[in-house]
Amino acid sequence: RMATLNGAKALGLDSVTGSIAVGKDADMIAVDFDTPPTWPAPTVAPGEGGFDPITHIVYSSTRDQVTNVWVKGRRLMRHGRVLSMDVDGVKKVAQKWGQKITEACAELKQKK
């Protein structure tokens, strides 16, 4: 609740977000617990002893376990594949910038 509804209340946004309800903006993720970093998987509901799924996500999961993402109800990732941008295009631009940075660093080194 601290990171969701109470966080939204603190920002004065609880009428817009912070909980799953009709008419509210909802961001959600799905996490795969069937990977070595998250073993053993949570086994019980919060407060009942055993592994609490929310705490387990916070302390054991990384971006690698996020399989699906929705923002404002729009699906942005499905089964680990980004749907909202041209990933190959972004990669090409990043590689071009990487080359420019490498060249600039080489020029600076030569000037010393």
Side-chain angles (χ1 to χ4, degrees):
R1 295 188 130 245
M2 182 173 66
T4 56
L5 186 55
N6 290 338
K9 283 181 183 177
L11 296 171
L13 297 172
D14 52 312
S15 65
V16 178
T17 191
S19 60
I20 305 298
V22 174
K24 286 191 173 184
D25 292 343
D27 299 348
M28 292 177 39
I29 63 169
V31 177
D32 181 4
F33 284 125
D34 195 24
T35 61
T38 57
W39 292 342
T43 55
V44 297
E48 295 181 16
F51 289 109
D52 170 6
I54 296 167
T55 302
H56 203 63
I57 288 170
V58 171
Y59 291 109
S60 300
S61 299
T62 68
R63 64 183 182 205
D64 298 326
Q65 285 80 39
V66 176
T67 59
N68 296 276
V69 175
W70 296 265
V71 175
K72 288 189 171 185
R74 181 173 167 228
R75 191 174 208 169
L76 302 181
M77 178 184 282
R78 177 182 290 127
H79 306 297
R81 292 186 48 97
V82 177
L83 306 174
S84 58
M85 68 174 72
D86 174 12
V87 175
D88 291 332
V90 172
K91 181 179 178 182
K92 287 177 185 174
V93 170
Q95 288 172 329
K96 285 180 185 178
W97 275 104
Q99 185 60 40
K100 287 181 180 185
I101 292 167
T102 300
E103 292 167 3
C105 289
E107 286 178 31
L108 287 173
K109 190 174 182 179
Q110 286 178 353
K111 290 180 181 181
K112 286 186 177 184

